C-alpha cells in the first residue's frame, strides 16, 4: 500500500501550498519529456549553504537547454527564504524549472511558453554518525549516460538506473567509469586519494560539477591539502588509499568498500577525516558569515 503524500510546503508558479495540493498539467514538458532542470540546496538553521552558487549553476543549466530564466539570482534567493519562512532548522530545498505547458506534444521547442517553477522543502537528512565513522559501500558500473552530464537535468533515467545497481545490493552509491576513466557516481562526485594527494576528475561535460566538489577544492587549498584535477584511470580508483563521495546532502563521505573489496585498510582515511573536519567547520561558520554579510 502506498503511503499518503505528506503535506510538505511547496511553491508552484507563485503560490505557496503543499505537495499534497499543488497540481501540474499532464502536458507539462517536464512530465512528458523530462524537459527541465533542477537544484537541491541544503539549508542549515535557516541559512542556505552556497545558495548563490546553486542558482548560478541553475542559470548555466538553463542556458544549456535554451530555457529563459524567469528570475535573477537574488529573486530566487528571496523566493527560497519565503518558502522557508515557517520551516526552521535543517532543510533540503528542491527547485525545478520545466519548459512549461504547450498545447500539444512535440519534441521541438515551442515558442513563448511560461516555464513551470516548482520548489519544495523537507527536513534535511544529513549523513549518520555511523556513515561518517565507518564509511559506506559502493559498487562500480559502466557510465551509460549521455554526453551532457554537466547539465543538472530532470531527465535522470540514466542516473536512476545506475543508482538502482547499488540499491539492489544494499550499497550507497554506484561509481561510474567511462572508457576506462572515473567520471562520478549516480548522484555524487567522487574523489580519490593516493599517498596523501587527492585527485578529482576534470570539470567537463561528463560530470555534474558539484557545488560540494567546488567547495572541497577550495577548502583543500585553504587547508593545504594537496589536490589535483585530472583524468583518473580505473586502475587508480581501484588502487586508491581512500575514495570519497561528495554531494550537497552527503557532504563528504568515505567509501570503505568498493565492489565488495576494502578501500585502503577498509576504514575512513586520515585525509578524509581532515577534509570532513574542514567541511564541518565551514558549515558551523555559515550563520555568523550570513549575519556579518
Ligand atoms: C550526478 C551528480 N553528480 C554530482 C552531484 C553533486 O552535486 P552537489 O555537490 O552540487 O550536490 C549530484 C548531486 O545531486 C549529482 O546528481
Amino acid at each position: 500500500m502506498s503511503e499518503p503524500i505528506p503535506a510538505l510546503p511547496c511553491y508552484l508558479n507563485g503560490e505557496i501550498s503543499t505537495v499534497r495540493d499543488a497540481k501540474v498539467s499532464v502536458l507539462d514538458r517536464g512530465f512528458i519529456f523530462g524537459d527541465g532542470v533542477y537544484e537541491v540546496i541544503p539549508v542549515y538553521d535557516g541559512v542556505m549553504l552556497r545558495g548563490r552558487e546553486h542558482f548560478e549553476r541553475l542559470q548555466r543549466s538553463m542556458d544549456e537547454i535554451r530555457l529563459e530564466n524567469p528570475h535573477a539570482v537574488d529573486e530566487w534567493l528571496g523566493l527560497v527564504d519565503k518558502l522557508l519562512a515557517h520551516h526552521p532548522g535543517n532543510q533540503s530545498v528542491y527547485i525545478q524549472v520545466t519548459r512549461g505547458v504547450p498545447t500539444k506534444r512535440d519534441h521541438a521547442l515551442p515558442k513563448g511558453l511560461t516555464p513551470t517553477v516548482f520548489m519544495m522543502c523537507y527536513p534535511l537528512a544529513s549523513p549518520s554518525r555511523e556513515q561518517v565513522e565507518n564509511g559506506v559501500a559502493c559498487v562500480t558500473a559502466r557510465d551509460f549516460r549521455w554526453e551532457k552530464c554537466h547539465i543538472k537535468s530532470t531527465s535522470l533515467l540514466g542516473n536512476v538506473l545506475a543508482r538502482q545497481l547499488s540499491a539492489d545490493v544494499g550499497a550507497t552509491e554506484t561509481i561510474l567509469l567511462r572508457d576506462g576513466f572515473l567520471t562520478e557516481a549516480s548522484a555524487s562526485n567522487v574523489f580519490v586519494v593516493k599517498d596523501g594527494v587527492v585527485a578529482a576528475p576534470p570539470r567537463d561535460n561528463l560530470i555534474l560539477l558539484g557545488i560540494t566538489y567546488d567547495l572541497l577544492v577550495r577548502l583543500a587549498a585553504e587547508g593545504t591539502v594537496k589536490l589535483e584535477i585530472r583524468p583518473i584511470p580505473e586502475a587508480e580508483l581501484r588502487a586508491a588509499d581512500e575514495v570519497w563521495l561528495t554531494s550537497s546532502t552527503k557532504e563528504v563521505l568515505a567509501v570503505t568498500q568498493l565492489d565488495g573489496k576494502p578501500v585502503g585498510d577498509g576504514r575512513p582515511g586520515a585525509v578524509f577525516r581532515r577534509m570532513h573536519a574542514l567541511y564541518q567547520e565551514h558549515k558551523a561558520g555559515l550563520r555568523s558569515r550570513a549575519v556579518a554579510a
Side-chain angles (χ1 to χ4, degrees):
M1 202 180 74
S2 59
E3 290 180 20
I5 296 176
L8 297 170
C10 79
Y11 167 102
L12 179 64
N13 299 329
E15 301 283 325
I16 300 264
S17 65
T18 73
V19 297
R20 199 181 279 168
D21 299 320
K23 299 278 181 287
V24 180
S25 164
V26 291
L27 283 181
D28 192 286
R29 285 180 63 102
F31 179 62
I32 297 281
F33 293 119
D35 184 356
V37 292
Y38 76 106
E39 282 296 329
V40 179
I41 308 179
V43 177
Y44 299 96
D45 201 11
V47 184
M48 280 177 256
L49 177 59
R50 313 216 99 194
R52 185 165 292 279
E53 287 80 355
H54 277 276
F55 284 112
E56 286 167 359
R57 182 172 65 183
L58 184 70
Q59 180 68 60
R60 292 195 295 278
S61 295
M62 294 180 86
D63 291 344
E64 287 283 343
I65 72 162
R66 304 204 238 167
L67 180 55
E68 202 174 319
N69 195 337
H71 301 296
V73 171
D74 286 312
E75 282 168 14
W76 278 115
L77 294 171
L79 288 176
V80 172
D81 281 340
K82 206 166 130 192
L83 179 69
L84 286 172
H86 304 290
H87 303 280
N90 297 351
Q91 298 275 324
S92 265
V93 180
Y94 176 85
I95 297 120
Q96 167 171 320
V97 186
T98 77
R99 205 175 299 277
V101 185
T103 50
K104 63 179 195 319
R105 182 182 179 279
D106 179 5
H107 286 60
L109 306 185
K111 288 203 171 65
L113 282 192
T114 303
T116 301
V117 177
F118 173 67
M119 298 198 267
M120 63 178 163
C121 66
Y122 44 89
L124 174 65
S126 290
S128 66
R129 210 186 146 124
E130 203 275 326
Q131 284 180 312
V132 173
E133 283 175 9
N134 296 331
V136 297
C138 290
V139 298
T140 58
R142 188 169 61 81
D143 195 340
F144 43 67
R145 300 172 303 159
W146 66 336
E147 291 181 357
K148 288 180 183 275
C149 298
H150 60 301
I151 303 174
K152 200 162 170 68
S153 159
T154 57
S155 303
L156 282 173
L157 197 49
N159 301 60
V160 165
L161 294 177
R163 170 68 184 104
Q164 191 55 34
L165 298 174
S166 46
D168 284 342
V169 294
T172 297
E173 256 290 23
T174 306
I175 294 181
L176 302 169
L177 294 150
R178 194 189 286 253
D179 301 329
F181 288 87
L182 168 66
T183 52
E184 57 179 343
S186 74
S188 335
N189 290 113
V190 179
F191 291 68
V192 299
V193 182
K194 189 72 182 175
D195 300 328
V197 181
V198 186
R203 300 168 152 113
D204 60 17
N205 60 310
L206 300 181
I207 68 165
L208 179 77
L209 178 51
I211 302 299
T212 321
Y213 169 122
D214 262 347
L215 178 58
L216 239 73
V217 169
R218 203 187 91 191
L219 294 176
E222 289 169 7
T224 60
V225 175
K226 277 195 204 138
L227 186 146
E228 299 168 348
I229 296 177
R230 57 173 172 77
I232 298 168
E234 176 171 354
E236 196 177 326
L237 168 72
R238 300 209 182 271
D241 299 332
E242 301 183 26
V243 176
W244 312 336
L245 299 173
T246 68
S247 83
S248 295
T249 48
K250 293 186 194 79
E251 305 184 344
V252 50
L253 273 183
V255 178
T256 45
Q257 223 192 72
L258 190 62
D259 292 333
K261 299 193 185 86
V263 174
D265 65 3
R267 305 285 313 154
V271 191
F272 164 76
R273 289 198 304 275
R274 169 101 175 108
M275 222 48 243
H276 185 263
L278 289 171
Y279 190 90
Q280 297 309 315
E281 251 171 58
H282 180 82
K283 249 171 69 178
L286 256 190
R287 173 153 287 281
S288 50
R289 285 196 302 274
V291 170

